[in-house]
Amino acid sequence: MTRLAKPIVFALCLLPLAWLAYRGWTAGFGAHPQEYVNRFLGDWALRFLLTALAVTPLRQIGNWPQLARFRRMLGLYAFFYVVLHLSSYVVATHFFDWAAIGKDILKRNYITVGMATFAMLTPLAATSTAGMVKRLGAARWKKLHRLVYLAGIGGVFHFFMMVKADWREPLLYAVILSGLLGWRVWRRARVKG
Amino acid sequence: MLIKHVRARDPLSSEITPRAVFEGRRRLLKAAAAAGVWAFAPAGAKAAKPVRGEPIPNLAPWPKSLSEPPTGYELATTYNNFYEFGFDKEDPARHSKSFKPRPWTVAVEGHAEKTGTFDFEDLIKPHQLEERVYRFRCVEAWSMVVPWVGVPLGDVLKRLVPTAKAKYVAFQTVLRPEEMPGQRLPLLKWPYVEGLRLDEAMHPLALLTVGMYGERLPNQNGAPLRLVLPWKYGFKSIKSIVRIAFTETEPPTTWNIATPREYGFYSNVNPQVDHPRWSQAKERRLGDPFFSPKRPTLMFNGYAEDVAHLYAGMDLAKLY
């Protein structure tokens, strides 16, 4: 069973994408398909990012050391959905209108934050292999990968700044993220003190 | 001039697909579904067909209607910003089924000779209903082409005889939290209010609207009575109106109260003045292919020749 756990989680993480493809094939994406696809992928990018950030707290709270081996996969899936989300923005939302995209990045705060978040996650994905951990050295690698906390905050802010009036969903993500980061701060303080 | 004139032989949009024909098609589809032909289609994927409204007879065509094909009925009635019924685009169609648009009265107040409470039908009845195909541009940078049914707002307002003190007209949406779930959440200040300068309200393009696609307005599109102001962003076109007041000072408007930096009183469509969240230079025309460029947004949504004089000498970057 434990041998199968990784492939099972790997397949589960592809379910949102499979569902998107199925819906596109059968029912279409509704009245504003570009927006639908972009939001769907953005939602899942954020969910995977928070799930990856939940691994360590769950592992420690639940005394569940086996969870650690899913962390890299979940983190990479978060990046995978971020890349798809960004691609849909370039290809579907703007249809390669680079001038409009450039202006968006400079002028639209939520786009600026979203791009910054993508920029933070890229080196983390690039250094996710065992070889890269070795090459960087564990201490430096760990330091670099603390960027994920900032990326989590960036992702939630990106969502928060996008909504016009209904901030309930981004608030939910903010609460979850605060819990995940707050727990780390609290534990660190307790261990030190 | 981008407004194209309709030739005399052009059909009304309501005539393009006769009712009996599409209803017949639908029956056929249902029969096919029952026969198991669609066994592999996902349940509910296409099942939520909108219930069509009651057709409105005796519509006069409007010579300046767009000749572009209207956005599909299903699309225009399932992708709506009507926060009173919920905050997602599909919510209004989903949550407005128990809303009762009749009987319906409108309170007329303020600086006018004829004030009081009117049945909305009595406000409309003296005028010839027209079908007008307008561009509809949302501040969120998407757009539709919609065949509206209504009468010029100015004609109705004139019959109410505004006095010399009337400089603005304020409008208010119905407040019925028991029928409108969005109003139970304090995410906007309810009831929704909007306003126009009197000369804007009197402009012949301002349409007091009772229908679309040749039929009565569906609840999710602002039944039974709404404004359509084609040169302004969609949120100015207030829905389900219960109050019209002639005022001396600029009336408050809901989105301006919520976020004054983002939404001004005028909210004219203007590709040169960006919204902090959306570039207004281009728009996504709903119904265009998935992979297609956005279309350039036109000054005053393409109605500049008609309305630009209303704003002569104004700094539109400041008075957005």
Side-chain angles (χ1 to χ4, degrees), chain A residues 22 26-37 39 91-95 97 100 103-104 107-111 160-168, chain B residues 40 42 45-46 75 78-79 81 83 87 89 139-140 142 185 187-188 255 259 263 274-279 282 284 286-294:
Chain A
Y22 172 75
T26 54
F29 298 124
H32 195 168
Q34 297 88 354
E35 181 189 73
Y36 181 93
V37 170
R39 298 245 168 115
V91 178
T93 310
H94 282 299
F95 197 64
D97 185 344
K103 267 206 220 152
D104 253 9
K107 290 174 83 173
R108 250 46 76 190
N109 291 342
Y110 77 99
I111 302 283
F160 233 117
M161 293 158 86
M162 188 205 72
V163 302
K164 281 161 73 183
D166 186 4
W167 36 258
R168 288 171 298 167
Chain B
F40 293 98
K46 291 269 180 186
L75 202 156
T78 55
Y79 189 81
N81 277 325
Y83 282 8
F87 294 80
K89 296 287 190 296
V139 71
E140 297 165 354
W142 51 265
L185 299 165
L187 299 176
L188 279 180
W255 279 104
T259 326
Y263 308 95
D274 278 349
H275 182 278
R277 280 165 213 269
W278 304 284
S279 162
K282 294 183 181 186
R284 171 64 63 193
L286 300 188
D288 273 358
F290 187 83
F291 295 110
S292 59
K294 291 187 180 183

Side-chain angles (χ1 to χ4, degrees), chain B residues 72-294:
Chain B
Y73 178 90
E74 184 169 348
L75 202 156
T77 55
T78 55
Y79 189 81
N80 307 107
N81 277 325
F82 195 176
Y83 282 8
E84 281 81 345
F85 288 117
F87 294 80
D88 289 336
K89 296 287 190 296
E90 301 80 15
D91 283 344
R94 223 181 275 147
H95 298 149
S96 64
K97 292 194 176 76
S98 62
F99 183 77
K100 287 173 215 62
R102 278 169 188 78
W104 192 272
T105 57
V106 178
V108 175
E109 298 168 8
H111 301 295
E113 283 176 21
K114 291 183 189 162
T115 55
T117 302
F118 300 88
D119 190 288
F120 92 96
E121 309 257 19
D122 295 334
L123 287 177
I124 299 293
K125 227 182 277 166
H127 307 277
Q128 169 65 51
L129 284 169
E130 294 175 41
E131 171 153 273
R132 296 187 176 188
V133 183
Y134 281 158
R135 285 182 206 88
F136 183 86
R137 171 65 156 78
C138 179
V139 71
E140 297 165 354
W142 51 265
S143 62
M144 302 183 181
V145 173
V146 183
W148 301 105
V149 175
V151 301
L153 173 66
D155 293 355
V156 175
L157 297 184
K158 267 178 226 153
R159 275 198 312 110
L160 301 170
V161 200
T163 65
K165 274 190 166 173
K167 299 281 186 286
Y168 295 87
V169 194
F171 301 88
Q172 188 179 308
T173 297
V174 72
L175 183 67
R176 286 190 196 166
E178 66 287 356
E179 287 179 24
M180 299 175 128
Q183 287 182 339
R184 291 174 221 152
L185 299 165
L187 299 176
L188 279 180
K189 191 167 177 280
W190 311 113
Y192 195 89
V193 289
E194 258 304 338
L196 295 168
R197 236 169 42 197
L198 188 63
D199 59 337
E200 297 182 296
M202 289 294 184
H203 192 279
L205 283 178
L207 196 70
L208 191 58
T209 302
V210 297
M212 60 197 287
Y213 298 84
E215 301 165 3
R216 283 180 173 183
L217 277 176
N219 290 343
Q220 64 267 34
N221 292 81
L225 187 69
R226 66 171 294 171
L227 290 189
V228 175
L229 308 160
W231 73 96
K232 291 177 178 286
Y233 293 119
F235 66 88
K236 291 293 289 184
S237 294
I238 185 170
K239 304 184 186 84
S240 306
I241 299 167
V242 290
R243 180 174 173 266
I244 298 175
F246 296 91
T247 65
E248 208 174 348
T249 53
E250 188 181 289
T253 61
T254 293
W255 279 104
N256 179 254
I257 295 167
T259 326
R261 197 176 67 90
E262 299 187 10
Y263 308 95
F265 176 76
Y266 288 95
S267 295
N268 293 313
V269 176
N270 187 339
Q272 282 132 42
V273 177
D274 278 349
H275 182 278
R277 280 165 213 269
W278 304 284
S279 162
Q280 299 297 15
K282 294 183 181 186
E283 66 201 49
R284 171 64 63 193
R285 175 64 56 81
L286 300 188
D288 273 358
F290 187 83
F291 295 110
S292 59
K294 291 187 180 183

